[in-house]
Amino acid sequence: MTVIGITGPTGAGKTTALEVLAEMGFEVVDCDALYYELLRSDEELRRALRNAFGEVFLPDGSLDRRAVARRVFGDPAELVKLNGIVFPAMSAAVERKIGNCSQKGLAIDAVNLIESGMGRLCRATVAVTASPDVRLRRIMARDGLTEDQARARMAAQKSADWYGDNCSFLLENRGEDRDAFAEMVRSFFQNLMEIINKGEEANGNQGLEGSTPHGEKERL
């Protein structure tokens, strides 16, 4: 069973990449959805957040996101504290998903894939990237934002160079229509699976630790 981590900046086309992986027989773990599930069901996580930040849950049991944002916005130490609580809980939950997965593979969809340490769970990490112009058009059309709003959102995220430095592979969306990009994505992942399978054969099928192709950047 192969675990692939998917990350990248907003507007680059991660949704299409994940849809293609699902079509190829992968279970997709949406870490945003998993996070909000844990906030309601994981009492250890809820207790840790209360201990660190006070009562941050609303009467209906949901997280008071504004209260948490006020605590961590502009305060790096508070953000580190928050991530130190959330990231281990997320990694443990994803590991359980991997252990229970019965499909041919599992794709981790996570904005903070690398920062959280979940990249270590992956046979390969793939950053879906696109030029600033492509991302700008996609974000404005998708979210109904003005150009200034879309540029502000992009400026708050990590650069393409950061993803190139920290992920095994880069999957570049060149701005084609959805169907053309989906076909490119399908070819990319078929080639990636061939690389992974050959590496596992060469290394005696050592699983996640075998021969993860870090450092060899593939661009589509």
Side-chain angles (χ1 to χ4, degrees):
M1 198 268 290
T2 301
V3 180
I4 296 177
I6 305 295
T7 190
T10 185
K14 291 190 297 294
T15 298
T16 299
L18 291 159
E19 288 172 350
V20 169
L21 281 170
E23 292 168 4
M24 291 174 63
F26 278 69
E27 177 182 345
V28 174
V29 176
D30 179 342
C31 284
D32 281 345
L34 181 59
Y35 172 55
Y36 289 110
E37 177 187 327
L38 291 176
L39 286 172
R40 287 188 171 276
S41 63
D42 188 329
E43 287 302 324
E44 185 175 343
L45 172 61
R46 290 167 64 87
R47 182 167 53 254
L49 290 170
R50 285 194 180 99
N51 290 341
F53 300 106
E55 183 51 78
V56 290
F57 291 95
L58 297 169
D60 67 359
S62 63
L63 182 71
D64 187 341
R65 297 172 66 183
R66 290 183 179 179
V68 175
R70 285 194 297 268
R71 290 290 301 269
V72 304
F73 182 74
D75 190 333
E78 290 290 273
L79 181 58
V80 168
K81 185 194 299 184
L82 176 64
N83 289 340
I85 295 168
V86 171
F87 286 166
M90 288 294 300
S91 292
V94 171
E95 285 195 80
R96 290 193 293 272
K97 292 280 189 183
I98 293 170
N100 293 327
C101 181
S102 60
Q103 295 178 231
K104 68 176 291 185
L106 181 142
I108 304 172
D109 171 17
V111 172
N112 292 317
L113 178 74
I114 305 302
E115 303 93 310
S116 66
M118 285 188 283
R120 68 181 175 78
L121 304 175
C122 303
R123 189 64 179 78
T125 55
V126 178
V128 183
T129 64
S131 71
D133 287 344
V134 169
R135 292 177 57 209
L136 182 68
R137 292 196 304 270
R138 289 173 56 86
I139 293 169
M140 290 173 65
R142 182 191 67 194
D143 299 335
L145 300 179
T146 66
E147 181 174 337
D148 286 346
Q149 289 171 326
R151 288 189 183 279
R153 183 175 294 184
M154 291 167 59
Q157 297 192 323
K158 291 179 171 63
S159 68
D161 287 343
W162 186 91
Y163 289 106
D165 290 340
N166 288 280
C167 293
S168 310
F169 293 83
L170 302 179
L171 171 57
E172 185 178 2
N173 183 345
R174 296 173 183 157
E176 295 89 349
D177 63 39
R178 193 270 175 198
D179 289 343
F181 180 54
E183 191 55 39
M184 292 171 65
V185 170
R186 190 169 291 105
S187 175
F188 176 94
F189 282 117
Q190 287 171 347
N191 291 338
L192 178 55
M193 289 303 296
E194 288 182 11
I195 292 171
I196 289 173
N197 291 334
K198 287 178 181 177
E200 289 180 348
E201 290 173 4
N203 286 276
N205 195 21
Q206 294 177 30
L208 296 179
E209 302 300 326
S211 61
T212 303
H214 281 281
E216 236 181 12
K217 305 302 175 188
E218 289 286 339
R219 287 182 181 270
L220 181 60

